[in-house]
């Protein structure tokens, strides 16, 4: 039985190695017939973290109002009580207006104090630049550049590799950029912060003292104003547009227990037909995913992946390795069993004793030659050690270790020095005796 398993593992590994040599290893990409207009796209399954659709996801793009997602993060992480009231300063509003930036209507509250919650709704729904600058001024203690520094630190902290901010609003700047991949990281982090998911899924919100609500510009979640862009299963997040950024969107959607996040950057906008192609791309990709991708378990905790040689034991020559947990992934509903292969990353022998469940190595999971996940492989059973073999192997390991060889070398050098010094001393002593006689 074990010989058959070993042969199967070797065959699977060879199949994957040959397929990988013909194609670069990258994020998984399923066959998708959706025609997209956004220049950069990354779509991930939020339950597994798997990337299911990618298009030029690592090219730097202007983020436009998607910047405000990071502005939101820095605000809620630095103001713990969102009922805190902040003054709507005329000087800050004047700077926004004089810069030609769009406002959300906070000027109606000049000199008043609004809760941070109200200002966050003004930030995210109508993409208020006045709200962004007000929050940056408050958190930065009057220094917006200090707030921007916090934004860049946070981007680095959550693993963004191609993101840099120059302002909290999203106004185009040569040194303000991100990628679809980094924006996915920012969005996933934001979704773990207080109130974020509720705010970005809200079509309209009435600020304290107002007669008219602020309304979202993300038409995917607005049944009343979204028109053809409204998408039933959309749950938020943020959109934006500038001349250089084109139209941009980060959107989430949930259907039948499946949750996805899609970031689309640098899409065109059709003024005549009022078509936002970033929203069309996201909605079409959501439809494709919900219809074609399903949760699968190509391997469970009981599935033998391979055998690993074992040292220091008389009982067995090898041990079976299985995944530490069930491998639950998103795959095309029509996938075939041999589309998925699991290849150990290390095949070096393991030393007994080994307990069932011990992590022995990791393995890379491939779909049609593309790697998309790493799993731990654990021992399927206990393997006891032979005291004699354990001792002899231990002695052999010590005798062949670099430190032992270095120590031996030092002893040899010291011995040679000792012999040389002793010989020289004895010769000198004999000469002295001759001269005395």
């Amino acid at each position: 039985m074990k010989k058959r398993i070993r042969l199967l593992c070797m065959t699977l590994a060879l199949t994957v190695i040959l397929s990988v040599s013909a194609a670069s290893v990258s994020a998984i990409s399923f066959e998708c017939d959706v025609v997209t207009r956004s220049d950069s796209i990354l779509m991930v399954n939020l339950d597994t973290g798997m990337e299911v659709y990618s298009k030029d996801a690592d090219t730097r793009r202007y983020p436009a109002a998607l910047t405000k997602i990071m502005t939101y993060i820095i605000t809620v992480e630095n103001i713990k009580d969102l009922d805190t009231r902040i003054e709507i300063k005329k000087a800050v509003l004047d700077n926004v207006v004089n810069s030609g930036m769009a406002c959300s209507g906070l000027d109606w509250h000049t000199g008043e104090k609004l809760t941070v919650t109200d200002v966050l709704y003004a930030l995210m729904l109508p993409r208020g630049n006045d709200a962004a600058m007000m929050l940056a001024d408050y958190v930065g203690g009057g220094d917006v550049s200090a707030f921007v520094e916090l934004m860049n630190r946070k981007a680095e902290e959550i693993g963004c590799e191609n993101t840099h901010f120059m302002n909290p609003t999203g106004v185009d700047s040569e040194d303000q950029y991100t990628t679809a991949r980094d924006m996915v990281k920012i969005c996933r982090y934001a979704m773990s912060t207080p109130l974020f998911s509720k705010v970005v899924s809200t079509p309209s919100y009435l600020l304290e003292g107002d007669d008219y609500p602020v309304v979202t510009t993300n038409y995917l979640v607005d049944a009343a104003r979204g028109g053809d862009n409204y998408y039933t299963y959309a749950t938020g997040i943020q959109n934006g547009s500038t001349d250089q950024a084109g139209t941009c969107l980060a959107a989430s959607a949930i259907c039948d227990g499946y949750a996805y996040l899609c970031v689309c950057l640098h899409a065109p906008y059709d003024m005549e037909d009022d078509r936002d192609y970033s929203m069309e791309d996201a909605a079409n990709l959501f439809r494709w995913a919900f219809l074609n991708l399903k949760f699968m378990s190509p391997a469970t905790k009981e599935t033998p992946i391979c055998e690993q040689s074992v040292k220091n034991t008389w009982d067995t020559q090898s041990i079976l390795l299985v995944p530490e947990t069930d491998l639950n992934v998103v795959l095309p509903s029509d996938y075939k069993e041999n589309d998925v292969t699991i290849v150990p990353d290390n095949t070096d022998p393991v030393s007994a004793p080994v307990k069932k469940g011990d992590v022995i190595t990791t393995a890379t999971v491939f779909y049609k030659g593309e790697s998309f996940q790493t799993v731990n492989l654990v021992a399927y059973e206990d393997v006891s050690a032979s005291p004699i073999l354990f001792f002899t192997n231990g002695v052999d390991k010590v005798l062949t270790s670099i430190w032992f060889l270095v120590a031996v070398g030092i002893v040899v050098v010291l011995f040679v020095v000792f012999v040389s010094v002793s010989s020289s001393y004895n010769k000198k002593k004999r000469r002295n005796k001759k001269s005395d006689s």
Side-chain angles (χ1 to χ4, degrees), residues 89-200:
K89 297 180 180 178
K90 184 178 185 302
V92 175
L93 291 173
D94 287 345
N95 285 335
V96 174
V97 173
N98 293 336
S99 299
M101 292 188 285
C103 297
S104 64
L106 289 185
D107 53 316
W108 298 342
H109 299 273
T110 303
E112 299 177 12
K113 289 188 176 181
L114 293 179
T115 64
V116 173
T117 297
D118 274 4
V119 182
L120 288 173
Y121 273 99
L123 171 77
M124 300 304 291
L125 271 60
R127 307 182 318 216
N129 294 311
D130 48 356
M133 294 301 290
M134 207 64 63
L135 293 168
D137 176 80
Y138 182 83
V139 174
D143 183 0
V144 173
S145 63
F147 185 91
V148 174
E149 177 60 27
L150 293 176
M151 296 172 69
N152 287 317
R153 287 183 195 171
K154 179 58 66 175
E156 183 177 356
E157 177 186 317
I158 63 179
C160 295
E161 298 179 356
N162 287 288
T163 295
H164 187 263
F165 298 106
M166 293 295 291
N167 60 67
T169 61
V171 172
D172 289 335
S173 172
E174 185 176 349
D175 290 324
Q176 178 130 328
Y177 52 81
T178 190
T179 65
R181 190 177 310 281
D182 279 358
M183 189 51 64
V184 163
K185 295 176 183 178
I186 293 170
C187 289
R188 295 192 70 181
Y189 186 91
M191 294 170 79
S192 69
T193 62
L195 210 61
F196 182 82
S197 294
K198 180 180 179 181
V199 171
V200 298

Side-chain angles (χ1 to χ4, degrees), residues 102-376:
C103 297
S104 64
L106 289 185
D107 53 316
W108 298 342
H109 299 273
T110 303
E112 299 177 12
K113 289 188 176 181
L114 293 179
T115 64
V116 173
T117 297
D118 274 4
V119 182
L120 288 173
Y121 273 99
L123 171 77
M124 300 304 291
L125 271 60
R127 307 182 318 216
N129 294 311
D130 48 356
M133 294 301 290
M134 207 64 63
L135 293 168
D137 176 80
Y138 182 83
V139 174
D143 183 0
V144 173
S145 63
F147 185 91
V148 174
E149 177 60 27
L150 293 176
M151 296 172 69
N152 287 317
R153 287 183 195 171
K154 179 58 66 175
E156 183 177 356
E157 177 186 317
I158 63 179
C160 295
E161 298 179 356
N162 287 288
T163 295
H164 187 263
F165 298 106
M166 293 295 291
N167 60 67
T169 61
V171 172
D172 289 335
S173 172
E174 185 176 349
D175 290 324
Q176 178 130 328
Y177 52 81
T178 190
T179 65
R181 190 177 310 281
D182 279 358
M183 189 51 64
V184 163
K185 295 176 183 178
I186 293 170
C187 289
R188 295 192 70 181
Y189 186 91
M191 294 170 79
S192 69
T193 62
L195 210 61
F196 182 82
S197 294
K198 180 180 179 181
V199 171
V200 298
S201 64
T202 302
S204 63
Y205 179 84
L206 197 64
L207 302 183
E208 181 182 341
D210 281 357
D211 296 324
Y212 300 97
V214 291
V215 297
T216 184
T217 59
N218 181 3
Y219 293 145
L220 291 177
V221 299
D222 193 342
R225 287 165 287 269
D228 293 338
N229 286 314
Y230 174 67
Y231 181 62
T232 305
Y233 302 110
T235 56
I237 295 178
Q238 179 67 291
N239 68 308
S241 63
T242 67
D243 291 341
Q244 291 177 288
T247 60
C248 305
L249 174 72
S252 57
I254 299 176
C255 178
D256 293 336
Y258 291 82
Y260 288 93
L261 171 67
C262 185
V263 171
C264 301
L265 301 179
H266 203 254
Y269 179 79
D270 191 324
M271 296 288 290
E272 293 183 4
D273 294 335
D274 192 27
R275 295 179 64 180
D276 185 322
Y277 285 105
S278 64
M279 292 188 188
E280 286 192 18
D281 286 349
N284 288 334
L285 286 169
F286 286 142
R287 293 186 186 97
W288 162 77
F290 291 139
L291 289 173
N292 294 281
L293 304 181
K294 302 296 179 184
F295 286 128
M296 303 286 184
S297 294
T300 71
K301 294 185 291 185
E302 302 297 319
T303 304
I305 302 301
C306 64
E307 289 182 286
Q308 203 91 330
S309 297
V310 181
K311 300 186 299 184
N312 304 335
T313 179
W314 297 116
D315 299 333
T316 183
Q317 297 293 318
S318 61
I319 186 171
L320 282 177
L321 301 186
V322 297
E324 186 175 27
T325 60
D326 292 345
L327 182 60
N328 297 316
V329 295
V330 176
L331 294 172
S333 54
D334 61 350
Y335 99 102
K336 296 177 177 58
E337 187 174 341
N338 59 4
D339 288 340
V340 177
T341 50
I342 305 173
V343 181
D345 297 324
N346 188 336
T347 57
D348 293 340
V350 60
S351 296
V354 177
K355 291 185 178 181
K356 182 177 181 179
D358 283 352
V359 176
I360 305 302
T361 185
T362 58
T364 302
V365 186
F366 295 86
Y367 175 80
K368 292 185 176 180
E370 291 186 277
S371 67
F372 68 94
Q373 192 166 338
T374 299
V375 296
N376 287 332

Side-chain angles (χ1 to χ4, degrees), residues 8-28:
L8 175 61
C9 292
M10 291 175 64
T11 303
L12 291 176
L14 180 59
T15 300
V16 171
I17 290 170
L18 291 175
S19 60
V20 171
S21 65
S24 60
V25 176
S26 61
I28 193 169

